[in-house]
C-alpha cells in the first residue's frame, strides 16, 4: 500500500462539524506585523478525531486557542455546524496540557463547575450523576471527594478529561494533554481518552508532538508548515479500523509507512 496523503478533501456541508476558512493570525510588533498563520483552511467532519503536528512555533496552539475562542481571529472565519464562533462557548470543550483545576475543590466540584453552566435546568441529582459517570469513566470512582491538590498530575489530567466530556461539547480541543506525563501514565491516559471517545464520538482536534500518539488516536493527521505564515502542509488519512488496540496498530503493516511519512515531513 502506498501511503496516501491528501492536502484537503472537500466534504459536504452536512458532514462538517468544524470549518476553518482562510484563517489568519497577526501579532503587531515594533518591526511590523508578525504573521503566525495565513490562508489556513481545514474542515473536520462530524465524529472525526484529527491530530495536528508540526514544529514548535508553527502556530498549532495559536490555531487551537482561536478555535476555542480564547484568541482573536485576524482574518478568515471559524464555524461550528455552520455558525461562526464569537468567543468561548460550551460547544467547544478544551483539555489543556496542564489541567488548570481549582486546587481547593474536590474532583467532583471541579467537574460540576462546567456541568452547572451547561445543564442549569437539571436537578441536583442529574448533575451529580453526570459528574460521577465521567469521573468513573476516567478511573476516579474512588476519588470523587479528593481535592485536586491531593491528586497526582496524571489523576488531575483524568479530572480534566472528565470535565471536558461532561459538558457534552460539539468539538473537543486537546492541547498536548499528555505532554507533561511520564510514558506509562501517558499510554494509560491515551487508552482512557480513546475509550470514552469511541463511545461519545465527539469531533476532536488534538495537538501532539508524538508521531506514535498521532497514528494511534486519529482518523487523519494534519501536518502544519513551519512558521511564520504557517498553513496546512499535508494531511495523512489513518485507515486503521476502530476500536483500535495499541498492539494491533503497532503490528500492522501500514504503521511504519505512516510513521515514515510523518517523520519525513517533520524533517523537511
Amino acid at each position: 500500500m502506498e501511503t496516501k496523503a491528501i492536502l484537503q478533501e472537500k466534504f459536504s456541508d452536512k458532514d462538517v462539524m468544524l470549518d476553518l476558512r482562510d484563517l489568519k493570525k497577526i501579532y503587531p510588533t515594533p518591526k511590523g506585523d508578525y504573521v503566525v498563520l495565513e490562508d489556513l483552511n481545514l474542515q473536520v467532519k462530524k465524529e472525526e478525531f484529527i491530530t495536528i503536528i508540526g514544529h514548535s512555533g508553527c502556530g498549532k496552539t495559536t490555531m487551537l486557542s482561536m478555535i476555542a475562542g480564547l484568541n482573536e481571529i485576524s482574518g478568515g472565519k471559524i464555524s461550528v455546524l455552520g455558525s461562526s464562533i464569537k468567543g468561548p462557548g460550551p460547544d467547544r470543550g478544551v483539555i489543556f496540557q496542564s489541567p488548570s483545576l481549582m486546587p481547593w475543590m474536590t474532583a467532583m466540584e471541579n467537574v460540576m463547575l462546567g456541568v452547572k453552566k451547561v445543564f442549569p435546568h437539571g436537578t441536583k441529582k442529574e448533575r451529580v450523576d453526570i459528574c460521577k459517570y465521567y469521573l468513573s469513566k476516567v478511573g476516579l470512582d474512588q476519588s470523587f471527594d479528593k481535592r485536586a491538590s491531593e491528586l497526582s498530575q496524571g489523576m488531575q489530567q483524568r479530572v480534566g478529561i472528565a470535565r471536558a466530556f461532561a459538558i457534552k461539547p460539539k468539538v473537543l480541543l486537546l492541547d498536548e494533554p499528555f505532554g507533561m506525563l511520564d510514558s506509562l501514565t501517558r499510554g494509560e491516559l491515551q487508552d482512557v481518552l480513546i475509550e470514552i471517545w469511541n463511545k461519545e464520538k465527539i469531533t476532536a482536534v488534538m495537538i501532539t508532538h508524538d508521531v506514535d500518539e498521532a497514528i494511534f488516536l486519529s482518523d487523519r493527521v494534519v501536518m502544519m508548515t513551519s512558521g511564520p505564515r504557517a498553513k496546512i502542509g499535508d494531511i495523512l488519512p489513518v485507515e486503521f479500523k476502530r476500536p483500535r488496540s495499541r498492539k494491533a496498530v503497532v503490528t500492522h503493516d501500514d504503521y511504519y509507512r505512516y510513521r515514515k511519512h510523518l517523520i519525513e515531513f517533520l524533517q523537511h
Side-chain angles (χ1 to χ4, degrees):
M1 180 201 111
E2 278 300 303
T3 304
K4 283 194 283 181
I6 302 165
L7 191 53
Q8 179 60 62
E9 238 176 295
K10 215 38 194 140
F11 300 123
S12 151
D13 285 349
K14 68 178 179 7
D15 295 328
V16 175
M17 174 59 78
L18 178 67
D19 196 358
L20 279 57
R21 291 281 169 102
D22 302 323
L23 203 60
K24 190 169 192 173
K25 182 63 189 177
I26 298 169
Y27 288 113
T29 75
K31 293 181 178 176
D33 288 347
Y34 181 79
V35 184
V36 184
L37 304 170
E38 190 172 57
D39 298 329
L40 191 145
N41 290 282
L42 180 66
Q43 290 184 312
V44 186
K45 290 193 297 184
K46 293 171 184 171
E47 303 189 353
E48 187 178 25
F49 195 123
I50 71 162
T51 52
I52 297 170
I53 65 169
H55 293 291
S56 292
C58 72
K60 300 184 297 295
T61 295
T62 301
M63 181 178 86
L64 205 76
S65 63
M66 288 163 81
I67 300 169
L70 301 169
N71 197 333
E72 215 175 297
I73 297 168
S74 305
K77 72 170 195 169
I78 298 173
S79 51
V80 175
L81 285 178
S83 298
S84 293
I85 64 161
K86 294 170 178 62
D91 57 343
R92 284 150 287 141
V94 189
I95 303 175
F96 297 102
Q97 190 174 64
S98 171
S100 326
L101 304 178
M102 303 298 180
W104 62 90
M105 287 186 171
T106 64
M108 174 73 93
E109 288 165 342
N110 269 288
V111 177
M112 184 62 82
L113 280 174
V115 170
K116 269 184 180 167
K117 280 189 178 158
V118 177
F119 303 108
H121 306 300
T123 65
K124 187 180 177 187
K125 183 183 182 302
E126 283 167 345
R127 294 196 296 237
V128 165
D129 285 348
I130 290 168
C131 296
K132 283 184 172 174
Y133 174 80
Y134 286 100
L135 283 166
S136 297
K137 279 283 180 197
V138 298
L140 291 178
D141 33 8
Q142 304 300 311
S143 305
F144 292 158
D145 301 319
K146 281 193 179 163
R147 284 186 187 167
S149 56
E150 298 168 346
L151 300 174
S152 69
Q153 204 166 17
M155 287 172 87
Q156 286 186 27
Q157 198 57 299
R158 286 172 190 258
V159 177
I161 293 170
R163 181 179 59 184
F165 276 102
I167 65 166
K168 308 268 192 200
K170 292 186 172 73
V171 180
L172 188 62
L173 304 168
L174 305 103
D175 188 3
E176 289 198 73
F178 313 128
M180 293 165 71
L181 304 173
D182 63 82
S183 56
L184 185 65
T185 308
R186 184 179 188 126
E188 282 175 8
L189 286 194
Q190 286 169 1
D191 291 340
V192 164
L193 173 72
I194 210 67
E195 189 186 330
I196 304 176
W197 181 85
N198 277 327
K199 189 169 185 302
E200 306 277 331
K201 285 289 198 288
I202 293 169
T203 301
V205 179
M206 175 171 163
I207 290 172
T208 181
H209 274 106
D210 187 319
V211 165
D212 298 298
E213 182 170 85
I215 296 167
F216 176 53
L217 295 175
S218 26
D219 297 306
R220 291 185 296 156
V221 184
V222 175
M223 291 156 262
M224 284 179 68
T225 61
S226 296
R229 301 182 188 276
K231 51 172 71 81
I232 306 300
D234 198 355
I235 297 178
L236 177 73
V238 178
E239 292 170 341
F240 297 139
K241 285 189 183 131
R242 294 191 185 273
R244 301 171 183 168
S245 76
R246 198 176 299 275
K247 189 181 175 193
V249 166
V250 298
T251 55
H252 196 287
D253 290 348
D254 296 336
Y255 173 71
Y256 287 99
R257 291 196 186 94
Y258 289 148
R259 206 169 185 277
K260 181 170 180 277
H261 184 95
L262 297 177
I263 288 168
E264 280 177 355
F265 179 89
L266 291 171
Q267 284 173 342
H268 283 311

